[in-house]
Amino acid sequence: QQPVQSPQAVILREGEDAVINCSSSKALYSVHWYRQKHGEAPVFLMILLKGGEQKGHEKISASFNEKKQQSSLYLTASQLSYSGTYFCGTRYNTDKLIFGTGTRLQVFP
Amino acid sequence: EPEVTQTPSHQVTQMGQEVILRCVPISNHLYFYWYRQILGQKVEFLVSFYNNEISEKSEIFDDQFSVERPDGSNFTLKIRSTKLEDSAMYFCASRAGLWTYEQYFGPGTRLTVT
């Protein structure tokens, strides 16, 4: 039931783009994206509810493909502050979030 | 901006001892959670709590664990007899209400069991 994230790691230069995927084998109710920096708490980025909507937050946006049970997080024109580990948290028919194993993103100048 | 707070930030305890981790969820939030993260691994759900009752708990949340909301602001996680494998970062999270699904995490308590 654990969602699968890909890729496991991404290395970027400032200004480059990245896509992080989160896939589930079961029907999702919602997908929650978080960024976690080393030694800190996960910070909520955005939530995608089933319905195929796309959301945006400055240069970070996400989509949810209900047919494929997959969500993608788009990071455009990356900044140094984007570095961290990105987790997708998936919600099925209960209240708890089940997190993927994370994608480590490193942005270099 | 309102935020979830947790105390202590770091707790060191000996195996077999009881620990209580404390959380103050965002004011007016109704749903509360504990998650944990073993170093280098993903975040794992422990328990959810609503209306003074446990809504759901994971396999990890065995009889050694308990949660309580002793007053209108605090939310606690107690581990009765700690084991080495309980060493982890424990995060408290809260969400506002029935139709809002965003969960906001606190800064965490690092528990080290020796």
Side-chain angles (χ1 to χ4, degrees):
Chain A
Q1 194 171 346
Q2 175 184 299
V4 177
Q5 279 188 243
S6 62
Q8 288 185 314
V10 182
I11 298 175
L12 297 174
R13 290 234 179 252
E14 262 187 304
E16 292 181 336
D17 302 340
V19 180
I20 299 171
N21 297 306
C22 175
S23 298
S24 172
S25 56
K26 282 182 62 175
L28 290 166
Y29 188 91
S30 59
V31 179
H32 306 228
W33 285 99
Y34 289 83
R35 175 171 60 215
Q36 184 180 33
K37 293 187 184 277
H38 184 70
E40 299 180 9
V43 174
F44 174 77
L45 294 176
M46 64 189 74
I47 180 174
L48 287 300
L49 302 178
K50 65 178 181 180
E53 63 180 292
Q54 181 149 352
K55 280 201 169 180
H57 178 68
E58 295 181 346
K59 295 176 183 172
I60 301 175
S61 62
S63 63
F64 182 15
N65 187 320
E66 199 175 333
K67 268 190 178 178
K68 292 184 178 180
Q69 297 303 318
Q70 178 178 304
S71 178
S72 296
L73 185 72
Y74 307 95
L75 304 162
T76 56
S78 59
Q79 305 167 12
L80 295 176
S81 60
Y82 286 5
S83 293
T85 300
Y86 289 77
F87 290 98
C88 67
T90 52
R91 188 163 162 261
Y92 299 93
N93 58 352
T94 67
D95 195 23
K96 68 184 179 190
L97 291 180
I98 299 175
F99 285 89
T101 50
T103 295
R104 189 173 175 195
L105 181 78
Q106 289 179 282
V107 182
F108 290 97
Chain B
E1 187 174 323
E3 55 184 22
V4 178
T5 59
Q6 290 184 243
T7 54
S9 57
H10 191 189
Q11 173 96 43
V12 181
T13 189
Q14 287 190 327
M15 201 165 52
Q17 296 295 305
E18 174 184 288
V19 293
I20 297 177
L21 310 183
R22 291 183 167 79
C23 167
V24 179
I26 295 173
S27 179
N28 297 324
H29 278 199
L30 300 176
Y31 295 81
F32 314 114
Y33 310 84
W34 283 101
Y35 291 85
R36 79 170 187 190
Q37 185 177 35
I38 295 171
L39 188 64
Q41 297 185 23
K42 67 183 177 78
V43 177
E44 299 176 291
F45 169 79
L46 290 177
V47 66
S48 57
F49 191 86
Y50 167 71
N51 199 24
N52 282 318
E53 286 185 349
I54 290 175
S55 312
E56 188 175 1
K57 57 185 180 180
S58 72
E59 293 172 353
I60 303 167
F61 194 90
D62 61 23
D63 292 344
Q64 295 299 315
F65 290 87
S66 62
V67 289
E68 194 178 34
R69 188 155 162 83
D71 52 44
S73 59
N74 289 284
F75 179 50
T76 63
L77 174 69
K78 184 196 290 187
I79 309 175
R80 263 182 271 283
S81 178
T82 49
K83 304 172 197 161
L84 293 176
E85 54 264 38
D86 293 330
S87 295
M89 191 74 136
Y90 289 80
F91 293 108
C92 172
S94 70
R95 76 176 172 96
L98 188 60
W99 302 114
T100 56
Y101 302 105
E102 298 89 341
Q103 294 185 23
Y104 295 94
F105 282 67
T109 293
R110 178 165 297 286
L111 177 66
T112 303
V113 182
T114 62

